[in-house]
Amino acid sequence: MSTISIIPISDSSRVLAERILASYPEAKILPFGSFSKEVFHESSSLVFIGAMGICVRSIAPFAEDKHTDPAVVCIDSTGKYVIPVLSGHIGGANDLSKELANLLGAEAIITTQSDNTNLWPLDTLGKKYDWTLIVKDSNAAISTFVNGKPTALLLDIRDKGTDYLERTVPSHVSIFYSFEAIPQQDYELLMIVSPQQYDTSIPTITYIPKVLHLGMGCRKDMQGDPTVVYEHIKDVLRDKRLYPEALADVNTIDLKKCEPVLTLLAYGVMECPFHTYTSEELKDIPVPNPSEKVLEVTESSSVSEASAIYAAHGGPLLVEKQKADLGKGNEYTFAVALDRAACRKGHIEIVGAGPGDPDLISIRGRQMLEKADLILYAGSLVPKELTLCAKAGATMRSSADMNLEEQFALMKEFYDKGLFVVRLHTGDPCIYGAIQEQMNYFDQYGMDYHITPGISSFQAAAAALYSQFTIPEKVQTIILTRGEGRTPMPEKEQLHKLAQSQSTMCIFLSAGVVEKVQEELLRHYAPTTPVAACYKLTWKDERIYRGQLKDLAKIVKENHLTLTTLLVVGDAIDNRKGLSRLYADEFKHLFRK
C-alpha cells in the first residue's frame, strides 16, 4: 500500500501540509523531529516542506539504491516550487511532483534528462505497462539512449505499450518487427519488447510483456509441490526460447478449480490470476492433441491446450501439450498460447469521428488515425480534415461510392497484409453507424477488430442548445430514435408510443419524413413543446432552429434541412427550472461528509 509521509519543516509549512493531506487521504503528517531511518524505509513517498538543504541532509544517511529508495519531494515553504529529490523515475518522485504542483498551483522542477527531452524513461517504462525489465547495465543503456545514440527497437507483439512506443518514437530510434531484419552492427543499443528470447551482439534492454496464457490439466487430487511444477514449466519455456515472466495467468477446466496444486501454483508461486472454464466453453476449440480419455472424464477432448487457447481469445499455441508428473498418480499437462490481441497481424479499428468538428474526436481516435495504413471514412459525413493527421504513405479512401462488399474487400486487402485499418464513422459508430453488417463479415473471417467510441450528435446538440436533457423530478429519460422511412420501425417503437413518456427525444435520420414525425409526436406532446432542428452540429456551417412542435415540419422545410439534421423534442430544451439534490448541503457522500 502507498504510504505518503508529509513532513513540514516549520510551523509555517503546516498549512501546505494540510492542503496536500486533503487530497491524499492515505498520507500522514509527521513532525520534522520524528523523521528517522524507519520513517524513510517504511514510506513509499516523502514530501518535505521547507528548505532543500535541510531535506537533503535529512535523507542523505539513509539513501541506498534507486530501486528501493522511496520517492522524495521537496516543496518550498511558500508553495511555489515542487522538486523531486530522490528516486525520480523508479520511485515516482517526478510524477508525484507534477501532481503536487497541479494541486498547489506551483511549478514542478524536473531535472532528469529523459523528461526534459521528452524521451522514454527506460527505467520505469516497464512498470507503466506491467512489463518485466531485463538489462545487464541499466545506467549504461539509459545513457546511450538519452544521448541520442542509434537505437533499434524490436516490437514482435502488440499491446498498449507498443502502441505508445510506435506513436512517440524518437528520431534516433528505428523500429523493426522481426529480429532477423535488424542490422545490429548499425546500432549501439537494442530495445526489445517480446516474450521471446533472442541472442544479441550489442547492449540490449528487454521488456517482457505478460501476453502468454498457461493452460493446465492434472489428475484428480494431485499431490505435490507447486514450485516443482513451476520450475519444470520454466525449463520448457526457456528451451523454447520463451520468457516465463511473460505468463499472465493459469487456466484450466472448472472441474479442477479446487485442485490445491493448481491454485497454489497460481496464487502462491506465480502470484497471478487463476481462471476456470466449463466443458461447454472448451469442447469445441480445435487442438492439435485431443484425448479420448480426457473427453470421457471432462466432456472436453482437451484441457491444457483448450484452456490456454480460450484464455488467449483464440491466439496461437506456442507450446503444445506437455506431459509431466510429481510421482505416480500425480500426472499433469500444460500448454501455452499467445494472446490473440498481442499477435502482430492485421487489425481493424472502428473509430467514431465525433459530430463534425475535428477537435471533438477522442484522443484515442486521433491516435488510431495517426497509426493507420488505411483510413476508410464515411464520405461527406466525416470532415476530411481528420484524414490530415494520417502518417506519410497511408491510404485515404471515401466509402461514399462503395457498397458493403467493396468496403469489406478493401479492408481485407490491407488486413491480410498485416496492416492497420481504421474504419472512420461519423458520431459514435454504435448509434446508427451501420457497423453491425461490417462486424458480421469480420466475425465470419476471424478478423481482429475493436471499436473506439465517439461523441454523438445528440451530445453535441445538448451543448449547442445550452441545455441539460434531463430535468430533476420531471424528465429523467433521453430517447434516441428515428422516424420510419425506408427501414420500418418495430411496432413497439413507433414514435407515438415512445412519445407517451414525454421524455427528451433525439430523432436521427428523419428530416425527410418530418411531417410524419410531427404528426406522431403531437399525439402525446403538447403543440407548444420546445423543439430544435440541428443541422450539421459542430461543423463550420452549423445551423440550429428553435421553435414549437406544431411548427417542426415547417422549420425543416423552409430552411431546406437535409440528411445531417438531428431533431430534438422536449421540455428540457432551454429549461432552467428544477434543482438537483446532488449539491444540497444535507446530501452527504464519500467526498462530502
Side-chain angles (χ1 to χ4, degrees):
M1 181 177 176
S2 177
T3 304
I4 300 177
S5 296
I6 307 169
I7 304 171
I9 295 174
S10 64
D11 291 341
S12 61
S13 304
R14 181 84 188 189
V15 175
L16 284 177
E18 295 288 354
R19 285 180 61 186
I20 295 170
L21 183 64
S23 296
Y24 292 86
E26 75 280 9
K28 57 185 177 182
I29 299 176
L30 300 177
F32 176 62
S34 68
F35 181 68
S36 63
K37 180 179 181 179
E38 289 70 27
V39 172
F40 181 87
H41 288 297
E42 291 173 3
S43 302
S44 60
S45 303
L46 293 165
V47 179
F48 284 83
I49 305 177
M52 171 72 81
I54 298 175
C55 167
V56 171
R57 283 192 294 271
S58 299
I59 66 173
F62 313 129
E64 296 175 352
D65 187 285
K66 70 177 184 179
H67 294 93
T68 57
D69 289 338
V72 178
V73 172
C74 184
I75 305 173
D76 73 289
S77 58
T78 66
K80 289 183 179 179
Y81 304 107
V82 184
I83 307 169
V85 180
L86 190 66
S87 202
H89 279 158
I90 295 176
N94 286 2
D95 289 339
L96 180 58
S97 294
K98 294 173 185 176
E99 289 179 14
L100 293 173
N102 289 336
L103 173 66
L104 301 174
E107 180 180 356
I109 308 297
I110 308 297
T111 59
T112 44
Q113 184 176 354
S114 59
D115 289 85
N116 292 327
T117 54
N118 291 320
L119 293 175
W120 304 323
L122 301 189
D123 48 356
T124 59
L125 188 62
K127 184 178 180 181
K128 182 176 181 180
Y129 297 106
D130 199 20
W131 296 340
T132 300
L133 171 64
I134 295 181
V135 59
K136 287 185 177 179
D137 187 343
S138 62
N139 289 333
I142 292 170
S143 177
T144 300
F145 179 73
V146 299
N147 285 307
K149 303 299 182 183
T151 299
L153 172 61
L154 172 63
L155 304 176
D156 66 2
I157 59 96
R158 171 182 285 149
D159 66 6
K160 287 184 178 180
T162 63
D163 286 348
Y164 166 75
L165 296 182
E166 289 179 286
R167 190 171 65 250
T168 60
V169 60
S171 59
H172 68 286
V173 177
S174 303
I175 296 180
F176 297 88
Y177 298 104
S178 71
F179 181 74
E180 293 72 23
I182 303 173
Q184 294 187 51
Q185 67 277 9
D186 295 342
Y187 296 95
E188 295 187 32
L189 178 67
L190 173 58
M191 294 174 58
I192 297 175
V193 182
S194 174
Q196 190 83 35
Q197 296 182 26
Y198 294 102
D199 295 321
T200 64
S201 58
I202 60 174
T204 303
I205 183 167
T206 300
Y207 297 99
I208 306 168
K210 294 188 184 303
V211 292
L212 303 184
H213 300 274
L214 175 65
M216 296 282 307
C218 70
R219 280 287 190 97
K220 184 178 180 181
D221 298 325
M222 182 175 73
Q223 302 296 311
D225 186 349
T227 59
V228 175
V229 176
Y230 187 44
E231 289 302 320
H232 177 61
I233 292 170
K234 290 195 293 184
D235 288 342
V236 171
L237 289 175
R238 291 182 183 123
D239 286 344
K240 295 183 179 297
R241 309 294 292 166
L242 294 169
Y243 285 109
E245 293 86 351
L247 292 171
D249 47 32
V250 177
N251 305 273
T252 189
I253 197 166
D254 59 358
L255 291 174
K256 306 296 180 182
K257 64 184 178 182
C258 294
E259 290 289 342
V261 173
L262 298 189
T263 55
L264 286 171
L265 172 67
Y267 297 133
V269 179
M270 296 175 60
E271 297 182 345
C272 69
F274 179 58
H275 303 298
T276 62
Y277 311 104
T278 66
S279 59
E280 283 294 315
E281 291 172 311
L282 300 181
K283 68 179 184 180
D284 295 326
I285 295 176
V287 295
N289 302 288
S291 166
E292 289 295 329
K293 186 175 181 180
V294 173
L295 176 63
E296 181 182 331
V297 174
T298 70
E299 299 182 6
S300 171
S301 62
S302 171
V303 171
S304 59
E305 290 180 332
S307 60
I309 294 171
Y310 192 91
H313 305 96
L317 276 178
L318 301 187
V319 179
E320 292 188 9
K321 182 167 71 173
Q322 305 288 306
K323 297 180 180 180
D325 65 75
L326 294 172
K328 188 175 181 181
N330 294 299
E331 294 82 11
Y332 65 91
T333 61
F334 70 90
V336 176
L338 173 65
D339 198 282
R340 178 180 176 183
C343 296
R344 276 280 167 191
K345 61 182 185 309
H347 178 80
I348 297 172
E349 191 75 18
I350 302 171
V351 175
D357 186 340
D359 289 338
L360 290 178
I361 192 170
S362 69
I363 293 174
R364 176 182 169 84
R366 183 171 291 275
Q367 290 171 350
M368 296 298 101
L369 292 174
E370 290 170 351
K371 68 179 288 188
D373 298 295
L374 167 68
I375 299 175
L376 183 61
Y377 64 98
S380 60
L381 299 177
V382 171
K384 197 168 184 179
E385 293 93 327
L386 279 175
T387 65
L388 299 180
C389 63
K391 67 183 181 182
T395 298
M396 271 75 69
R397 176 72 190 275
S398 168
S399 62
D401 62 344
M402 304 171 71
N403 61 32
L404 178 62
E405 289 72 22
E406 291 170 332
Q407 294 174 33
F408 175 71
L410 178 61
M411 289 188 283
K412 189 173 186 299
E413 176 187 342
F414 278 75
Y415 182 96
D416 288 345
K417 295 177 182 177
L419 299 176
F420 192 89
V421 176
V422 165
R423 180 65 173 106
L424 188 60
H425 281 265
T426 184
D428 184 288
C430 298
I431 301 176
Y432 301 113
I435 62 172
Q436 177 176 287
E437 49 265 48
Q438 297 176 64
M439 293 189 293
N440 182 40
Y441 272 116
F442 302 155
D443 290 342
Q444 286 183 40
Y445 286 83
M447 300 167 78
D448 189 65
Y449 65 94
H450 180 264
I451 301 171
T452 295
I455 295 174
S456 174
S457 57
F458 87 88
Q459 296 165 297
L465 294 168
Y466 292 87
S467 298
Q468 177 180 308
F469 281 175
T470 55
I471 305 173
E473 300 182 30
K474 186 172 182 180
V475 177
Q476 291 293 291
T477 301
I478 303 169
I479 295 176
L480 309 182
T481 188
R482 53 179 288 274
E484 187 169 48
R486 286 178 294 182
T487 303
M489 291 291 287
E491 175 62 29
K492 63 181 181 295
E493 295 180 19
Q494 296 291 320
L495 276 182
H496 69 271
K497 293 184 178 180
L498 298 179
Q500 293 176 353
S501 69
Q502 300 285 292
S503 304
T504 301
M505 195 175 294
C506 301
I507 307 171
F508 292 75
L509 308 169
S510 300
V513 292
V514 66
E515 294 95 342
K516 186 175 181 182
V517 168
Q518 177 178 308
E519 177 186 343
E520 290 202 55
L521 294 180
L522 282 171
R523 292 170 64 173
H524 294 285
Y525 285 96
T528 56
T529 300
V531 297
C534 307
Y535 175 75
K536 299 193 80 171
L537 282 157
T538 77
W539 290 66
K540 293 177 182 178
D541 51 347
E542 171 187 282
R543 286 182 284 153
I544 296 177
Y545 301 91
R546 287 172 164 85
Q548 297 180 338
L549 178 56
K550 61 184 176 63
D551 301 317
L552 179 59
K554 180 181 178 182
I555 291 170
V556 171
K557 296 296 182 183
E558 288 185 352
N559 292 287
H560 309 290
L561 304 183
T562 55
L563 296 175
T564 51
T565 299
L566 178 71
L567 306 177
V568 183
V569 180
D571 290 327
I573 298 174
D574 295 325
N575 177 75
R576 293 296 183 269
K577 298 178 180 179
L579 182 65
S580 168
R581 305 303 299 163
L582 179 60
Y583 300 110
D585 184 63
E586 69 273 14
F587 183 69
K588 308 299 182 184
H589 54 68
L590 179 63
F591 299 103
R592 188 173 72 241
K593 299 179 181 178

